Short mmCIF file of all heavy atoms in Angstrom, two decimals:
data_model
loop_
_atom_site.label_atom_id
_atom_site.label_comp_id
_atom_site.label_asym_id
_atom_site.label_seq_id
_atom_site.Cartn_x
_atom_site.Cartn_y
_atom_site.Cartn_z
N ALA V 385 6.77 23.21 -14.94
CA ALA V 385 5.46 23.23 -14.33
C ALA V 385 5.63 23.51 -12.85
O ALA V 385 6.59 23.07 -12.24
CB ALA V 385 4.78 21.89 -14.53
N PRO V 386 4.71 24.26 -12.30
CA PRO V 386 4.88 24.58 -10.89
C PRO V 386 4.91 23.30 -10.07
O PRO V 386 4.03 22.46 -10.19
CB PRO V 386 3.63 25.40 -10.57
CG PRO V 386 3.10 25.83 -11.87
CD PRO V 386 3.51 24.81 -12.87
N LEU V 387 5.92 23.20 -9.34
CA LEU V 387 6.00 22.02 -8.49
C LEU V 387 5.00 22.14 -7.37
O LEU V 387 4.70 23.23 -6.90
CB LEU V 387 7.40 21.94 -7.87
CG LEU V 387 8.45 21.31 -8.73
CD1 LEU V 387 9.74 21.25 -7.96
CD2 LEU V 387 8.02 19.91 -9.13
N ARG V 388 4.54 21.03 -6.98
CA ARG V 388 3.70 21.07 -5.80
C ARG V 388 4.58 21.37 -4.60
O ARG V 388 5.57 20.68 -4.37
CB ARG V 388 3.03 19.72 -5.60
CG ARG V 388 2.13 19.39 -6.74
CD ARG V 388 1.19 18.30 -6.35
NE ARG V 388 0.20 18.15 -7.40
CZ ARG V 388 -0.83 17.35 -7.31
NH1 ARG V 388 -1.01 16.66 -6.22
NH2 ARG V 388 -1.69 17.26 -8.29
N LEU V 389 4.17 22.36 -3.92
CA LEU V 389 5.03 22.77 -2.82
C LEU V 389 5.17 21.67 -1.79
O LEU V 389 6.19 21.50 -1.15
CB LEU V 389 4.49 24.04 -2.18
CG LEU V 389 4.92 25.27 -2.96
CD1 LEU V 389 4.17 26.48 -2.50
CD2 LEU V 389 6.41 25.49 -2.79
N GLN V 390 4.11 20.95 -1.69
CA GLN V 390 4.17 19.85 -0.74
C GLN V 390 5.33 18.92 -1.09
O GLN V 390 6.10 18.51 -0.25
CB GLN V 390 2.86 19.10 -0.78
CG GLN V 390 2.71 18.11 0.35
CD GLN V 390 1.44 17.32 0.17
OE1 GLN V 390 0.65 17.59 -0.73
NE2 GLN V 390 1.23 16.35 1.02
N ALA V 391 5.39 18.64 -2.37
CA ALA V 391 6.45 17.75 -2.81
C ALA V 391 7.80 18.39 -2.55
O ALA V 391 8.74 17.73 -2.14
CB ALA V 391 6.28 17.44 -4.29
N VAL V 392 7.85 19.65 -2.80
CA VAL V 392 9.12 20.33 -2.59
C VAL V 392 9.52 20.22 -1.14
O VAL V 392 10.65 19.92 -0.80
CB VAL V 392 9.00 21.81 -2.99
CG1 VAL V 392 10.24 22.56 -2.58
CG2 VAL V 392 8.78 21.91 -4.48
N ASN V 393 8.54 20.44 -0.29
CA ASN V 393 8.87 20.37 1.12
C ASN V 393 9.27 18.98 1.52
O ASN V 393 10.14 18.78 2.37
CB ASN V 393 7.67 20.82 1.96
CG ASN V 393 7.56 22.32 1.93
OD1 ASN V 393 8.55 22.99 1.64
ND2 ASN V 393 6.38 22.84 2.20
N GLU V 394 8.63 18.05 0.91
CA GLU V 394 8.99 16.68 1.23
C GLU V 394 10.44 16.42 0.86
O GLU V 394 11.20 15.85 1.62
CB GLU V 394 8.08 15.72 0.47
CG GLU V 394 8.30 14.29 0.84
CD GLU V 394 7.36 13.41 0.06
OE1 GLU V 394 6.21 13.32 0.45
OE2 GLU V 394 7.78 12.85 -0.95
N VAL V 395 10.77 16.89 -0.31
CA VAL V 395 12.16 16.74 -0.72
C VAL V 395 13.06 17.45 0.27
O VAL V 395 14.07 16.93 0.69
CB VAL V 395 12.34 17.32 -2.13
CG1 VAL V 395 13.82 17.39 -2.47
CG2 VAL V 395 11.61 16.47 -3.14
N ALA V 396 12.61 18.62 0.66
CA ALA V 396 13.45 19.39 1.57
C ALA V 396 13.67 18.62 2.85
O ALA V 396 14.76 18.62 3.41
CB ALA V 396 12.80 20.72 1.86
N ARG V 397 12.63 17.97 3.32
CA ARG V 397 12.81 17.24 4.57
C ARG V 397 13.73 16.05 4.38
O ARG V 397 14.57 15.78 5.19
CB ARG V 397 11.47 16.81 5.12
CG ARG V 397 10.83 17.97 5.80
CD ARG V 397 9.64 17.63 6.61
NE ARG V 397 8.91 18.85 6.77
CZ ARG V 397 7.85 19.15 6.07
NH1 ARG V 397 7.37 18.30 5.21
NH2 ARG V 397 7.24 20.30 6.23
N ASN V 398 13.53 15.39 3.27
CA ASN V 398 14.42 14.27 3.04
C ASN V 398 15.84 14.75 2.93
O ASN V 398 16.77 14.10 3.37
CB ASN V 398 14.02 13.55 1.75
CG ASN V 398 12.68 12.93 1.90
OD1 ASN V 398 12.29 12.60 3.01
ND2 ASN V 398 11.97 12.78 0.81
N VAL V 399 15.93 15.87 2.32
CA VAL V 399 17.23 16.46 2.18
C VAL V 399 17.85 16.67 3.53
O VAL V 399 19.02 16.43 3.75
CB VAL V 399 17.07 17.80 1.44
CG1 VAL V 399 18.22 18.71 1.73
CG2 VAL V 399 16.96 17.53 -0.05
N GLN V 400 17.04 17.08 4.45
CA GLN V 400 17.56 17.27 5.79
C GLN V 400 18.11 15.96 6.33
O GLN V 400 19.20 15.92 6.87
CB GLN V 400 16.45 17.78 6.72
CG GLN V 400 16.03 19.19 6.42
CD GLN V 400 17.17 20.16 6.60
OE1 GLN V 400 17.96 20.00 7.51
NE2 GLN V 400 17.26 21.15 5.74
N VAL V 401 17.34 14.95 6.14
CA VAL V 401 17.77 13.68 6.67
C VAL V 401 19.01 13.17 5.96
O VAL V 401 19.94 12.69 6.57
CB VAL V 401 16.64 12.65 6.55
CG1 VAL V 401 17.12 11.31 7.02
CG2 VAL V 401 15.46 13.12 7.34
N ASN V 402 18.98 13.36 4.69
CA ASN V 402 20.07 12.83 3.89
C ASN V 402 21.13 13.88 3.62
O ASN V 402 21.80 13.81 2.62
CB ASN V 402 19.53 12.35 2.54
CG ASN V 402 18.90 11.03 2.69
OD1 ASN V 402 19.35 10.24 3.51
ND2 ASN V 402 17.87 10.77 1.94
N ARG V 403 21.23 14.75 4.51
CA ARG V 403 22.09 15.88 4.25
C ARG V 403 23.47 15.43 3.80
O ARG V 403 24.07 16.00 2.92
CB ARG V 403 22.20 16.70 5.53
CG ARG V 403 23.00 17.94 5.39
CD ARG V 403 22.92 18.71 6.67
NE ARG V 403 23.85 18.22 7.66
CZ ARG V 403 23.55 17.48 8.70
NH1 ARG V 403 22.31 17.15 8.90
NH2 ARG V 403 24.45 17.08 9.55
N ALA V 404 23.90 14.37 4.41
CA ALA V 404 25.27 13.96 4.13
C ALA V 404 25.46 13.60 2.67
O ALA V 404 26.56 13.65 2.17
CB ALA V 404 25.64 12.77 5.00
N THR V 405 24.43 13.23 2.03
CA THR V 405 24.59 12.81 0.66
C THR V 405 23.83 13.70 -0.29
O THR V 405 23.60 13.35 -1.41
CB THR V 405 24.11 11.37 0.50
OG1 THR V 405 22.86 11.25 1.16
CG2 THR V 405 25.11 10.42 1.09
N ASN V 406 23.44 14.80 0.19
CA ASN V 406 22.63 15.64 -0.68
C ASN V 406 23.49 16.38 -1.67
O ASN V 406 24.62 16.76 -1.40
CB ASN V 406 21.87 16.63 0.18
CG ASN V 406 20.77 17.24 -0.61
OD1 ASN V 406 21.04 17.95 -1.55
ND2 ASN V 406 19.55 16.95 -0.26
N PHE V 407 22.89 16.62 -2.77
CA PHE V 407 23.62 17.24 -3.85
C PHE V 407 23.35 18.73 -3.89
O PHE V 407 24.00 19.47 -4.59
CB PHE V 407 23.18 16.61 -5.16
CG PHE V 407 24.25 16.65 -6.19
CD1 PHE V 407 25.39 15.89 -6.03
CD2 PHE V 407 24.13 17.45 -7.30
CE1 PHE V 407 26.37 15.92 -6.98
CE2 PHE V 407 25.13 17.47 -8.24
CZ PHE V 407 26.25 16.71 -8.08
N SER V 408 22.35 19.12 -3.19
CA SER V 408 21.94 20.51 -3.27
C SER V 408 22.99 21.36 -2.58
O SER V 408 23.43 21.07 -1.50
CB SER V 408 20.59 20.64 -2.58
OG SER V 408 20.16 21.95 -2.67
N HIS V 409 23.34 22.43 -3.22
CA HIS V 409 24.58 23.05 -2.78
C HIS V 409 24.43 23.95 -1.57
O HIS V 409 25.42 24.42 -1.06
CB HIS V 409 25.23 23.80 -3.92
CG HIS V 409 24.39 24.92 -4.43
ND1 HIS V 409 23.17 24.70 -4.99
CD2 HIS V 409 24.59 26.25 -4.46
CE1 HIS V 409 22.66 25.86 -5.35
NE2 HIS V 409 23.48 26.81 -5.05
N GLN V 410 23.24 24.20 -1.13
CA GLN V 410 23.21 25.01 0.08
C GLN V 410 23.57 24.16 1.27
O GLN V 410 23.69 24.65 2.37
CB GLN V 410 21.85 25.67 0.29
CG GLN V 410 20.84 24.79 1.00
CD GLN V 410 19.81 24.27 0.05
OE1 GLN V 410 20.08 24.12 -1.13
NE2 GLN V 410 18.62 24.02 0.53
N HIS V 411 23.71 22.93 1.02
CA HIS V 411 23.87 22.06 2.16
C HIS V 411 25.20 22.10 2.82
O HIS V 411 25.37 21.64 3.92
CB HIS V 411 23.52 20.63 1.77
CG HIS V 411 22.10 20.45 2.01
ND1 HIS V 411 21.61 20.07 3.22
CD2 HIS V 411 21.05 20.73 1.23
CE1 HIS V 411 20.30 20.08 3.16
NE2 HIS V 411 19.95 20.48 1.97
N SER V 412 26.13 22.63 2.13
CA SER V 412 27.40 22.75 2.80
C SER V 412 27.29 23.75 3.94
O SER V 412 28.11 23.78 4.83
CB SER V 412 28.45 23.21 1.81
OG SER V 412 27.98 24.37 1.16
#
Side-chain angles (χ1 to χ4, degrees):
Chain V
L387 277 183
R388 297 197 171 186
L389 278 168
Q390 191 185 355
V392 171
N393 283 339
E394 185 180 280
V395 170
R397 281 191 200 101
N398 295 333
V399 157
Q400 289 299 322
V401 176
N402 281 327
R403 183 175 82 256
T405 46
N406 195 295
F407 208 68
S408 182
H409 62 298
Q410 85 255 28
H411 270 273
S412 53

